[in-house]
Amino acid sequence: MRFATWNVNSVRQRLGLVTDWLSRNSPDLLLLQEIKCETAQFPAGAFQEAGYDSVVVGQKSYNGVAILSRVPATLRHRHLPGLEAPEGGEHHARYVEIEAGGIVFGNLYLPNGNSGGADGYQAKLRWMDALIAHARDMLASDTDFVLAGDYNVAPTDEDFATGALSADDALVRPETRERFRALQWLGLTDAVRAVTPRGPVYTFWDYQAGCWPRDRGLRIDHAMLSPRVAERLLSAVPDRMERDKPQPSDHVPVVVTLAD
DNA sequence: ATGTCCGTACATTACGGA
């Protein structure tokens, strides 16, 4: 079983890159974030031609998540259980969860937390609290699961290049990192770090300031594995070369292989 | 020191978000 997570920064702008990547890699599942379109605008037909079914949770302009699958998949949730919708509004399109091959896959796009002032940051922390509670519930029910996506968290100082972030950035503040560690203390395994314990393993390079040619990256896209899934972990690596393509996303796919 | 890209709308440029 092989799956990948990829923040594509507009699926319509990146359709050719995604279908090309699928044809070269043929994962069982591809978890997409920041599709930046409404569900009805998602190019499901193009992915169907490539052999993939789509489960889409979209919204206008921002956010949006989808799971492409070439194996049978069952929808479980269209938003993060236990999370309140914003005051007087709809849920942001930031979470979709399916079951495939005996494993639950939660695909998440965590709030960045740098916009909207203190309220925006608190919303990020509440989102993380709900994610921790959901992971705890799934562990309590003995469910095998993966929680993967754009966490907008650089868990340690090894996870960003010097000068790439300020110390008070929402991606690295102590309260952010404390919550990421809480997922680990529950017993979840950070797949990329389990395979590559030390040093830079970036998944994102900003479009600005020549971050890619200077390798000023961040490691913010993660796949967290429940214990029995972690025992099957064979590899977990970002596909760096995807950042070098014309008009790329600022994130690259992170590819995880599990023993069957 | 600075360097970008996406989608939207009171649209042909400005803006928020990342």
Side-chain angles (χ1 to χ4, degrees):
Chain A
M1 149 77 76
R2 196 164 73 260
F3 70 92
T5 174
W6 193 2
N7 178 323
V8 287
N9 185 21
S10 173
V11 71
R12 291 177 294 175
Q13 290 296 320
R14 236 60 75 187
L15 181 58
L17 283 178
V18 176
T19 53
D20 183 60
W21 189 87
L22 279 174
S23 70
R24 284 182 288 113
N25 291 273
S26 38
D28 297 292
L29 300 170
L30 177 58
L31 282 53
L32 298 172
Q33 304 89 37
E34 278 206 276
I35 61 173
K36 290 190 170 176
C37 65
E38 295 177 288
T39 300
Q41 301 172 312
F42 188 81
F47 295 124
Q48 191 72 66
E49 285 176 23
Y52 287 83
D53 294 330
S54 302
V55 176
V56 185
V57 175
Q59 71 176 80
K60 198 173 182 179
S61 304
Y62 305 117
N63 310 321
V65 289
I67 299 179
L68 306 182
S69 169
R70 64 180 182 87
V71 297
T74 308
L75 177 66
R76 281 173 45 107
H77 295 292
R78 301 182 64 83
H79 55 80
L80 182 58
L83 185 74
E84 299 270 334
E87 188 81 20
E90 292 292 302
H91 278 98
H92 289 176
R94 293 182 175 276
Y95 188 83
V96 62
E97 184 178 291
I98 62 153
E99 183 275 326
I103 299 175
V104 170
F105 290 86
N107 176 20
L108 61 109
Y109 175 47
L110 226 146
N112 177 294
N114 281 309
S115 65
D119 289 348
Y121 185 58
Q122 288 307 310
K124 175 178 192 160
L125 298 181
R126 282 197 302 277
W127 212 101
M128 297 189 82
D129 287 338
L131 186 66
I132 293 162
H134 185 47
R136 184 183 292 118
D137 286 347
M138 287 196 287
L139 289 167
S141 62
D142 212 27
T143 302
D144 291 339
F145 65 90
V146 173
L147 293 173
D150 180 356
Y151 277 72
N152 270 313
V153 177
T156 77
D157 286 351
E158 283 196 306
D159 295 317
F160 65 94
T162 304
L165 289 174
S166 68
D168 65 345
D169 194 285
L171 278 58
V172 297
R173 277 186 217 154
E175 300 91 331
T176 303
R177 287 177 162 176
E178 172 189 333
R179 282 163 177 79
F180 187 85
R181 288 195 302 275
L183 289 171
Q184 298 176 295
W185 304 145
L186 283 177
L188 305 196
T189 294
D190 176 344
V192 167
R193 269 296 176 235
V195 170
T196 309
R198 306 300 303 272
V201 200
Y202 303 138
T203 66
F204 165 96
W205 295 259
D206 199 293
Y207 290 121
Q208 298 189 67
C211 282
W212 168 244
R214 299 160 72 181
D215 198 23
R216 272 199 173 192
L218 314 176
R219 191 177 77 91
I220 56 177
D221 300 274
H222 310 298
M224 305 298 285
L225 314 180
S226 70
R228 275 192 300 267
V229 176
E231 288 168 6
R232 296 166 54 186
L233 177 62
L234 295 176
S235 75
V237 287
D239 186 353
R240 280 177 64 97
M241 288 306 97
E242 208 56 30
R243 188 63 177 78
D244 219 27
K245 303 255 169 166
Q247 279 117 46
S249 171
D250 38 7
H251 299 249
V252 297
V254 175
V255 187
V256 179
T257 308
L258 306 174
D260 290 323

